[in-house]
């Protein structure tokens, strides 16, 4: 099954991860540290169970930079009107070339293992997922991805290679290199 993916706005090193345009609406594109939405699974039926054994939707954030990036000021949202819907944990970072997995299951709190859970779920039939950033003065879009068709069960949408603007459908590779 084909899925239409549209990357909305992301500036990456040497523009390898983004188009540099903002077609998503009113959120301004903002210069942010080098994090992108790297992979997501909006219809997780049987792969990659969370700590409680459930098969929740998830998103993977990737640091395409050369140094650790602190998550302070970063947010995830599926609603442009609420760009700070889920705050990524302050005081935590992602190593260069590293990943962070976030469960999108509506639980809105870390679980007993410290895994992150958003207050919203992903819509497998299509929506926009925003990675937003606040530089202390404004909140803007650091990255976004939109899918416009029903996502097949247990098939992830992923950037291949990691951090670039090329999206493919593939077997899920949470917290690991895509396309391998």
């Amino acid at each position: 099954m084909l899925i239409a993916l549209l990357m909305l706005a992301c500036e990456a090193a040497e523009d390898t991860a983004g188009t540099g345009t903002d077609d998503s609406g009113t959120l301004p594109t903002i210069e942010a540290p080098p994090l992108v939405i790297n992979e997501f699974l909006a219809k997780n039926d049987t792969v990659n169970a969370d700590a409680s054994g459930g098969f929740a939707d998830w998103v993977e954030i990737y640091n395409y930079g050369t140094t650790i990036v602190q998550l302070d000021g970063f947010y995830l949202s599926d609603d442009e009107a609420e760009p700070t819907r889920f705050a990524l944990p302050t005081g935590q970072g992602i190593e260069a070339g590293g990943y962070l997995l976030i469960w999108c299951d509506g639980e809105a709190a870390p679980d007993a293992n410290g895994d992150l859970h958003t207050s919203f779920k992903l819509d497998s039939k299509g929506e926009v997922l925003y990675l937003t950033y606040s530089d202390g003065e404004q909140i803007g879009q650091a990255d976004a991805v939109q899918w416009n068709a029903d996502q097949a069960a247990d098939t992830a949408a992923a950037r291949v290679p990691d951090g670039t603007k090329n999206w493919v459908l593939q077997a899920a590779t949470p917290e690991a290199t895509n396309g391998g």
Side-chain angles (χ1 to χ4, degrees):
M1 167 178 255
L2 220 37
I3 187 170
L5 291 171
L6 171 64
M7 193 166 76
L8 297 174
C10 170
E11 294 296 326
E14 300 173 18
D15 197 32
T16 58
T19 63
T21 63
D22 181 3
D23 300 326
S24 62
T26 59
L27 278 177
T29 300
I30 189 170
E31 189 170 329
L35 298 183
V36 292
I37 299 166
N38 199 53
E39 182 176 1
F40 66 91
L41 184 57
K43 196 170 188 178
N44 185 8
D45 288 352
T46 63
V47 296
N48 196 31
D50 66 14
S52 67
F55 294 98
D57 304 338
W58 52 264
V59 61
E60 174 191 86
I61 306 298
Y62 175 68
N63 176 357
Y64 64 84
T66 58
T67 61
I68 191 169
V69 172
Q70 294 300 313
L71 299 175
D72 303 43
F74 278 97
Y75 304 87
L76 274 177
S77 183
D78 64 345
D79 184 348
E80 185 178 32
E82 278 187 79
T84 60
R85 195 163 182 193
F86 177 77
L88 299 186
T90 60
Q92 182 177 333
I94 302 176
E95 296 288 336
Y99 309 91
L100 176 67
L101 190 72
I102 302 166
W103 300 99
C104 299
D105 55 10
E107 293 181 11
D111 63 22
N113 293 332
D115 293 335
L116 302 173
H117 295 262
T118 66
S119 57
F120 58 90
K121 297 179 181 185
L122 300 180
D123 184 348
S124 65
K125 295 183 190 312
E127 70 176 329
V128 181
L129 182 62
Y130 299 94
L131 177 64
T132 59
Y133 178 70
S134 173
D135 62 6
E137 295 181 24
Q138 66 175 336
I139 295 172
Q141 179 176 302
D143 190 22
V145 64
Q146 177 178 352
W147 58 103
N148 295 320
D150 198 11
Q151 191 173 36
D154 300 330
T155 301
R159 294 175 190 256
V160 176
D162 291 331
T164 64
K165 63 181 175 181
N166 185 46
W167 284 92
V168 301
L169 298 175
Q170 66 169 36
T173 58
E175 298 180 289
T177 298
N178 296 337

